[in-house]
């Protein structure tokens, strides 16, 4: 899924870029074509208007035939430019207007002989009427041809609209894919974080998380107790019942420790059959009592029989304890002290063959009164 998104995203961006470029190119082309056509028609219209004006002046007796002929030559020259110019040729190719312009050009050429032999108002009036009709017909054709009512321009306009909707669809698709990619990357990041911070077998926190947690507690100046737990006889379980049973044992122990946690308590697997428990001390408590109480609690929870491979076994654990107060020791000293304490307990269990900790007792009212340190008045 992620690979498809990473392939689709650049393709959509590319298609969007191509569509936008095409839209801009077509819009620019139409704009240039219209501007060019408008400019030529404006020039041609000016020459027509000037010739009409000169004929009107001649008819009124205020201009001579030479002025009329000069303006006629100018109009004829403008027509030649429109008919043979390379830019105008492109317009003719686009709009199919060459034939119509040639007809008007031939009509204008037919005025040459009458204008050279122009004599009298009646002849001038007849030429003026024909010239006006020619002008009106040509300008009407130009308005229909070079505006959006023309089929060629209309088809281009329809193409613009289609491209616009296509670009909108591509942009929306790109946004959706971007949101999906962000969501997938976020989920992937969370998954990687979980894999990095949690033990793959038991599902509880791992040693990397524990090291970061300890550093945060040290940085914040927090009082806490650190318990290092090593399962006794785990190797025998692996050797006699198999590694599958050993994994199941580790999962069961991790689940029991995790269910035991409350506010201020965290559990992590150090590796192998070693676990760690952190207990943050609430304000104003008897740290020694709370620590010993938790040692007994942990020992009691771990001694509950476990069913493995149709056999019921009872585990015990060596538990090392070290209490951290700001400025009292470094984290390295804390871990070393807990490890040494655990080792001593394991050796004691081997030599005395007795339980190294007292059975769990429920604290009575007198014990609970000692849970909170008395404050001096």
């Amino acid at each position: 899924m992620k690979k498809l998104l990473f392939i689709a995203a650049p393709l959509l961006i590319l298609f969007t870029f191509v569509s936008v470029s095409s839209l801009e190119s077509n819009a620019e082309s139409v704009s240039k074509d219209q501007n060019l056509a408008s400019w030529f028609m404006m020039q041609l219209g000016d020459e027509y208007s000037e010739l009409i004006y000169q004929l009107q002046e001649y008819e009124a007796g205020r201009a001579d035939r030479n002025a009329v002929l000069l303006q006629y030559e100018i109009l004829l020259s403008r027509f030649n430019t429109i008919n043979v110019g390379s830019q105008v040729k492109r317009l003719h190719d686009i709009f199919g207007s060459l034939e119509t312009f040639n007809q008007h050009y031939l009509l204008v050429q037919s005025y040459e002989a009458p204008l050279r032999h122009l004599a009298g108002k009646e002849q001038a009036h007849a030429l003026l009427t024909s010239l006006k009709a020619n002008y009106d017909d040509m300008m009407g054709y130009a308005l229909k041809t070079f505006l959006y009512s023309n089929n060629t321009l209309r088809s281009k306009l329809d193409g613009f609209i289609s491209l616009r909707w296509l670009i909108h669809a591509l942009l929306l698709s790109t946004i959706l894919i971007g949101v999906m990619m962000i969501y997938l990357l976020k989920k992937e990041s969370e998954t990687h974080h979980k894999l990095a911070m949690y033990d793959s077998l038991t599902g509880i926190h791992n040693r990397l998380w524990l090291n970061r947690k300890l550093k945060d507690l040290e940085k914040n100046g927090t009082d806490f107790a650190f318990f290092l737990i090593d399962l006794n006889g785990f190797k025998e379980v692996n050797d006699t019942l198999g590694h599958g049973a050993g994994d199941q044992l580790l999962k069961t122990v991790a689940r029991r420790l995790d269910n035991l946690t409350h506010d201020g308590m965290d559990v992590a697997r150090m590796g192998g059959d070693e676990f760690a428990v952190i207990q943050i001390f609430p304000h104003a408590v008897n740290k020694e009592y709370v620590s010993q109480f938790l040692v007994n609690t942990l020992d009691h929870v771990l001694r509950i029989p476990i069913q493995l491979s149709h056999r019921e076994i009872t585990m015990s654990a060596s538990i090392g304890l070290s209490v951290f107060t700001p400025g009292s020791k470094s984290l390295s000293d804390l871990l070393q002290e807990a490890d040494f304490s655990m080792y001593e307990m394991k050796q004691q269990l081997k030599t005395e063959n007795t339980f190294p900790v007292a059975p769990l007792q429920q604290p009575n009212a007198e014990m609970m009164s000692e849970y909170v340190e008395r404050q001096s008045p």
Side-chain angles (χ1 to χ4, degrees):
M1 180 66 176
K2 187 176 70 173
K3 289 183 179 179
L4 289 177
L5 290 177
F6 274 104
I7 293 174
L11 288 177
L12 280 175
I13 294 173
L14 177 61
F15 290 155
T16 303
F17 177 77
V18 171
S19 299
V20 171
S21 298
S22 176
L23 180 62
E24 291 179 348
S25 176
N26 289 339
E28 185 178 0
S29 173
V30 169
S31 178
K32 285 182 178 179
D33 292 342
Q34 275 200 304
N35 291 337
L36 188 61
S38 298
W39 187 84
F40 278 115
M41 290 308 301
M42 181 182 68
Q43 297 295 317
L44 192 60
D46 288 344
E47 306 307 340
Y48 259 107
S49 298
E50 187 62 28
L51 180 58
I52 291 172
Y53 172 75
Q54 290 296 336
L55 277 172
Q56 288 174 339
E57 289 294 294
Y58 177 85
E59 187 181 15
R62 292 190 293 270
D64 58 17
R65 186 176 59 185
N66 291 332
V68 176
L69 284 173
L70 176 62
Q71 186 57 43
Y72 169 76
E73 294 294 338
I74 294 175
L75 174 60
L76 200 63
S77 174
R78 185 68 65 184
F79 252 115
N80 283 327
T81 302
I82 292 177
N83 282 339
V84 301
S86 59
Q87 290 181 311
V88 179
K89 183 178 183 303
R90 189 169 70 88
L91 289 178
H92 289 321
D93 292 341
I94 294 173
F95 299 108
S97 56
L98 181 60
E99 182 179 353
T100 301
F101 269 80
N102 279 334
Q103 292 175 359
H104 288 283
Y105 177 62
L106 293 174
L107 184 59
V108 170
Q109 280 184 320
S110 69
Y111 295 150
E112 183 175 2
L115 287 174
R116 290 190 182 280
H117 301 90
L118 187 62
K121 295 181 180 180
E122 292 183 3
Q123 189 180 6
H125 182 74
L127 285 172
L128 186 61
T129 301
S130 176
L131 187 63
K132 285 182 177 180
N134 183 16
Y135 171 76
D136 291 340
D137 185 52
M138 187 189 67
M139 296 305 294
Y141 170 79
L143 288 174
K144 288 195 328 181
T145 302
F146 301 136
L147 294 180
Y148 284 124
S149 58
N150 175 263
N151 290 333
T152 302
L153 291 177
R154 185 186 298 278
S155 64
K156 289 194 174 185
L157 178 61
D158 292 340
F160 295 163
I161 295 174
S162 300
L163 278 174
R164 185 186 66 180
W165 284 111
L166 175 61
I167 291 171
H168 287 171
L170 289 172
L171 288 175
L172 180 60
S173 300
T174 304
I175 291 172
L176 290 176
I177 287 182
V179 171
M180 292 176 64
M181 288 176 64
I182 292 173
Y183 172 77
L184 288 177
L185 289 174
K186 183 175 180 296
K187 295 297 290 184
E188 186 177 32
S189 176
E190 292 175 352
T191 302
H192 288 167
H193 178 76
K194 185 173 182 179
L195 291 174
M197 295 296 175
Y198 287 82
D199 179 60
S200 59
L201 176 64
T202 62
I204 63 175
H205 293 300
N206 60 14
R207 187 161 192 157
L208 176 60
W209 176 91
L210 179 67
N211 291 336
R212 293 188 178 183
K213 180 70 174 180
L214 291 174
K215 289 179 181 178
D216 288 341
L217 293 176
E218 180 187 38
K219 181 179 179 181
N220 296 330
T222 306
D223 294 346
F224 64 93
F226 179 78
F227 303 88
L228 187 58
I229 304 171
D230 182 83
L231 302 181
N232 298 322
F234 179 73
K235 183 177 182 302
E236 286 74 11
V237 172
N238 272 338
D239 292 343
T240 57
L241 300 180
H243 290 281
D247 289 345
Q248 186 59 43
L249 173 61
L250 293 175
K251 292 178 183 179
T252 302
V253 170
R255 184 171 61 253
R256 288 182 181 181
L257 293 176
D258 194 44
N259 291 336
L260 187 65
T261 57
H262 51 75
D263 289 343
M265 178 183 286
D266 288 294
V267 176
R269 183 186 176 197
M270 297 283 287
D273 61 342
E274 286 190 349
F275 294 85
V277 175
I278 298 174
Q279 173 63 62
I280 298 175
F281 291 121
H283 178 66
V285 297
N286 187 320
K287 299 180 180 64
E288 182 179 352
Y289 172 77
V290 171
S291 299
Q292 188 58 47
F293 181 80
L294 285 176
V295 168
N296 286 336
T297 301
L298 292 170
D299 179 69
H300 174 76
V301 167
L302 295 173
R303 289 181 182 276
I304 298 174
I306 301 173
Q307 194 76 23
L308 290 177
S309 300
H310 308 292
R311 292 178 56 182
E312 185 178 87
I313 66 170
T314 301
M315 293 294 300
S316 66
S318 299
I319 304 174
L321 167 65
S322 182
V323 176
F324 179 87
T325 55
S328 63
K329 64 188 72 172
S330 65
L331 290 180
S332 178
D333 294 336
L334 175 81
L335 295 174
Q336 187 175 1
E337 183 179 300
D339 189 62
F340 182 74
S341 174
M342 182 193 70
Y343 179 77
E344 281 191 327
M345 188 174 292
K346 187 176 287 288
Q347 291 302 113
Q348 181 183 359
L349 181 63
K350 288 181 180 180
T351 56
E352 298 181 2
N353 196 25
T354 59
F355 295 132
V357 293
L360 175 67
Q361 297 178 0
Q362 295 295 331
N364 54 34
E366 182 180 354
M367 293 171 66
M368 289 302 296
S369 65
E370 296 177 2
Y371 190 88
V372 179
E373 293 179 345
R374 298 182 179 277
Q375 304 295 321
S376 56

